[in-house]
Amino acid sequence: QLQASGGGLVQVGGSLRLSCAASGRTLNNYAMGWFRQAPGKERRFVAVITGTGAGTDYADSVKGRFTISRDNAKSTVYLQMNTLKPEDTAIYYCASKWGGRSRLGGDYDYWGQGTQVTVSS
């Protein structure tokens, strides 16, 4: 089970850190991804990190502003979001997949419940 948290309301230019904690298992062999879904839009890839944390990938829209990281000892993945923009407003979901990283949501096996991020202008 994955539990996402850390969302909230923030002003343009502000920061938030999302967390995704796993219960009942370790995440060492799982790539972990963050996706987001804005109202009326499809779910989109945001960032992914490999099981060891050595490799990351970001959507162009967040590159340079968001940082994904993980602490396998805590079975937790983080998404540090800086310089937030109104277009970052969405429900953010974390997900896990066995093996290598992927940008495709369909490759992921387990999903968290989502946490709302709202950026006000």
Side-chain angles (χ1 to χ4, degrees), residues 35-39 86-92 115-119:
F35 294 78
R36 66 186 182 186
Q37 187 168 21
E87 51 264 42
D88 295 319
T89 295
I91 299 174
Y92 283 71
T115 184
Q116 177 71 49
V117 172
T118 303
V119 184

Side-chain angles (χ1 to χ4, degrees), residues 25-120:
R25 62 190 174 108
T26 60
L27 298 178
N28 299 50
N29 294 313
Y30 291 83
M32 297 297 298
W34 284 98
F35 294 78
R36 66 186 182 186
Q37 187 168 21
K41 296 188 176 181
E42 295 182 350
R43 183 181 60 198
R44 293 188 175 182
F45 166 77
V46 175
V48 62
I49 188 168
T50 57
T52 62
T56 58
D57 187 24
Y58 297 91
D60 288 345
S61 59
V62 306
K63 199 170 295 183
R65 299 187 298 122
F66 290 11
T67 302
I68 189 170
S69 62
R70 65 191 298 158
D71 184 341
N72 285 342
K74 297 181 179 180
S75 295
T76 302
V77 178
Y78 305 97
L79 186 68
Q80 178 67 43
M81 306 186 296
N82 298 328
T83 319
L84 283 162
K85 304 175 181 181
E87 51 264 42
D88 295 319
T89 295
I91 299 174
Y92 283 71
Y93 299 90
C94 61
S96 67
K97 69 173 294 292
W98 182 267
R101 61 192 184 189
S102 172
R103 291 188 169 204
L104 301 177
D107 289 343
Y108 289 75
D109 306 307
Y110 298 96
W111 291 80
Q113 85 289 359
T115 184
Q116 177 71 49
V117 172
T118 303
V119 184
S120 64

Side-chain angles (χ1 to χ4, degrees), residues 3-22:
Q3 182 78 28
S5 62
L9 175 64
V10 64
Q11 291 186 334
V12 169
S15 298
L16 282 174
R17 189 176 81 155
L18 305 184
S19 298
C20 175

